[in-house]
Amino acid sequence: MLCQFNDCNYSSTRILTVIVDWSKMKELDLAVNINIGSEDALVALVSRITNADAVKKELIAGSLAASLINCTHILDSRQLQLAIFKARIAQTREKMTTRNVYSEILYNLSPNRQITQAFKLFGIQDTDTACLVITVGDSKESNMHQVVSLLESGGAVCLPFEDISQFNSLESIEKLYKIQEEELKVGTLSEAVVSRIAAKEIIA
């Protein structure tokens, strides 16, 4: 398993901590000759958002250091684990496809290599009432606090990550990742989604 998710409380907010095990890079054929050790990311599920348009403007302006993700196509933690994992590797190798690690996470969630489409499908939109917030790096706690506080100023609340099923669409996920019925007879939807993300550079 690439990452271990642990629930913790941060600033009275329900936060999910993703522990990334860099020693497992070889399992995805993503090994690099560097000694990074391990690090973590913070993930929060936020609902009842009323100011998504204003927050999106702050994000585009570069005032916020985070990924704000539309929940529709997010199935589970494994999907996020792999997207974060690949983004951090690309950042370390200075081979990111997008401008920063947060846009790289969005890009990695997409099953194809069209950057604009990835942002449209996975980025927060002006009318969204729920989203996932992801922060990484040394300033992840303060960055998470900044984003969540901004969302909460509009009346938003944080929920346990397990509640993601209230906001996603299995039908949309299967359609986006082109999951065939035959695949689900021999494996799970989660496994099929992760395989699409892992093999994106080869088959997309």
Side-chain angles (χ1 to χ4, degrees):
M1 188 160 178
L2 291 178
C3 314
Q4 178 182 354
F5 276 61
N6 298 309
D7 281 326
C8 64
N9 289 318
Y10 173 70
S11 299
S12 303
T13 297
R14 186 80 163 183
I15 298 294
L16 200 65
T17 304
V18 189
I19 308 300
V20 180
D21 184 358
W22 293 95
S23 67
K24 299 295 185 180
M25 287 191 290
K26 290 185 179 179
E27 294 182 9
L28 288 178
D29 194 26
L30 295 171
V32 293
N33 295 321
I34 51 176
N35 182 15
I36 301 176
S38 61
E39 66 173 80
D40 61 330
L42 294 179
V43 182
L45 174 61
V46 186
S47 181
R48 301 181 190 173
I49 298 171
T50 62
N51 57 350
D53 54 343
V55 175
K56 182 181 176 182
K57 289 179 181 177
E58 293 287 326
L59 189 67
I60 293 174
S63 301
L64 303 175
S67 291
L68 274 67
I69 300 173
N70 180 289
C71 299
T72 303
H73 299 105
I74 301 301
L75 178 65
D76 59 17
S77 61
R78 295 180 66 192
Q79 184 182 6
L80 295 178
Q81 288 170 343
L82 184 53
I84 297 169
F85 182 72
K86 292 181 69 175
R88 291 299 270 167
I89 291 174
Q91 182 185 37
T92 301
R93 300 170 92 179
E94 298 184 353
K95 291 187 176 181
M96 291 191 296
T97 302
T98 62
R99 296 173 63 182
N100 59 59
V101 68
Y102 292 114
S103 56
E104 195 76 5
I105 292 172
L106 295 180
Y107 172 73
N108 286 328
L109 285 168
S110 178
N112 59 59
R113 289 185 279 185
Q114 299 178 23
I115 298 175
T116 301
Q117 184 181 34
F119 292 172
K120 181 178 180 180
L121 289 169
F122 290 96
I124 189 171
Q125 303 302 317
D126 290 348
T127 58
D128 283 352
T129 58
C131 78
L132 287 166
V133 181
I134 298 177
T135 58
V136 299
D138 295 338
S139 301
K140 58 187 174 293
E141 289 90 357
S142 59
N143 289 335
M144 176 64 75
H145 180 71
Q146 180 185 12
V147 176
V148 170
S149 296
L150 185 57
L151 292 168
E152 288 180 335
S153 69
V157 296
C158 289
L159 302 174
F161 180 80
E162 291 77 9
D163 289 351
I164 188 66
S165 59
Q166 297 179 22
F167 307 101
N168 63 18
S169 168
L170 298 185
E171 181 179 355
S172 296
I173 292 171
E174 291 179 11
K175 182 177 180 180
L176 174 64
Y177 288 97
K178 298 180 181 179
I179 308 300
Q180 303 299 317
E181 184 177 348
E182 290 74 15
E183 292 181 75
L184 301 180
K185 293 179 181 179
V186 297
T188 66
L189 178 57
S190 178
E191 290 170 341
V193 169
V194 167
S195 69
R196 294 299 194 280
I197 295 174
K200 173 178 176 175
E201 286 75 19
I202 300 173
I203 64 176

